[in-house]
Amino acid sequence: MKNNKFFGVLYRETLALIEMIIITLFMMSMIFTYVLRIATVNGDSMKNTLMSGDRLITTAFCNSPEQGDVVIIYAGDAVTLDEERNLEIKKGLRKTLVKRVIATEGQKIDIDFERGAVYVDDIMLDEDYITGLTHMDEGAFTGQYPVKVPDGYVFVMGDNRQVSKDSRSNEIGFVSVENITEKVLLRISPTEKFGFVK
């Protein structure tokens, strides 16, 4: 009789534990499908902030990007300005890239390529995260700086300005907020560099 009671309790506890494990796995699956994602850096455009091979935790919720955010974008269209400063949309790079938001909609961006300085709303940025100054003009807005970031777009650049293909390039230009697929939160690998990405 006591054995039957013991096995009955053990059976119920085991079922409760299995149910809890299944629910936990389901919730983790939903979180990592719809809320958080794992991404791997490919390339050197964000060096030294992010290195090729770094594994990241990102969030798909990035409707309101802020200046300084590190984001993952899909560079599908190249959005530049024509001679009258109207938006001109062409086929872009068609790649997924990780970049830093330098200016958001409504902000004015200017780059002094001779000095290597970047200005947002006439204030020179203190960019302690870059590997070198911004001397390369890649043709997106040549002769048009300063430019105002249109509504619904951002201006992005990599931290390794010498090799980064970003909003300076006529293959990318302004990036639609809709094409920001994720915001980078954490680096999880390599473990010695674990922490929030700034």
Side-chain angles (χ1 to χ4, degrees), residues 43-50 99 129-133 136 138 157-166 168:
D44 295 325
S45 73
M46 284 297 290
K47 192 175 175 182
N48 287 328
T49 304
L50 298 172
K99 301 294 172 192
Y129 42 78
I130 60 176
T131 57
L133 299 177
M136 292 176 60
E138 297 180 29
M157 284 198 276
D159 292 354
N160 189 3
R161 300 283 162 82
Q162 292 85 347
V163 302
S164 177
K165 191 171 282 281
D166 48 43
R168 294 170 292 161

Side-chain angles (χ1 to χ4, degrees), residues 3-152:
N3 278 347
N4 285 345
K5 199 171 188 181
F6 171 77
F7 284 115
V9 170
L10 182 62
Y11 176 74
R12 285 192 298 278
E13 292 296 320
T14 303
L15 281 181
L17 179 62
I18 291 170
E19 181 182 15
M20 185 179 74
I21 290 170
I22 290 171
I23 290 170
T24 301
L25 290 174
F26 175 77
M27 292 302 293
M28 292 299 289
S29 172
M30 290 295 103
I31 288 170
F32 277 96
T33 300
Y34 297 106
V35 180
L36 299 177
R37 297 179 181 159
I38 296 176
T40 302
V41 177
N42 182 14
D44 295 325
S45 73
M46 284 297 290
K47 192 175 175 182
N48 287 328
T49 304
L50 298 172
M51 308 297 279
S52 192
D54 284 0
R55 293 186 48 87
L56 312 170
I57 296 282
T58 66
T59 177
F61 293 107
C62 192
N63 298 331
S64 304
E66 296 180 3
Q67 188 178 8
D69 285 349
V70 177
V71 296
I72 295 176
I73 64 166
Y74 178 66
D77 295 324
V79 182
T80 55
L81 299 173
D82 63 19
E83 291 177 3
E84 286 80 40
R85 292 192 172 245
N86 297 312
L87 287 185
E88 185 172 60
I89 302 173
K90 299 174 280 190
K91 182 180 175 185
L93 201 57
R94 308 278 181 192
K95 283 188 176 179
T96 299
L97 307 167
V98 59
K99 301 294 172 192
R100 185 180 298 275
V101 176
I102 301 300
T104 60
E105 60 182 13
Q107 290 188 303
K108 179 174 71 172
I109 182 147
D110 195 7
I111 303 176
D112 183 337
F113 292 103
E114 200 170 299
R115 291 183 58 210
V118 178
Y119 299 83
V120 174
D121 293 333
D122 300 319
I123 298 170
M124 189 173 85
L125 298 183
D126 179 16
E127 299 186 285
D128 58 353
Y129 42 78
I130 60 176
T131 57
L133 299 177
T134 312
H135 291 296
M136 292 176 60
D137 181 358
E138 297 180 29
F141 305 104
T142 302
Q144 295 180 311
Y145 290 103
V147 293
K148 183 180 176 184
V149 181
D151 290 345

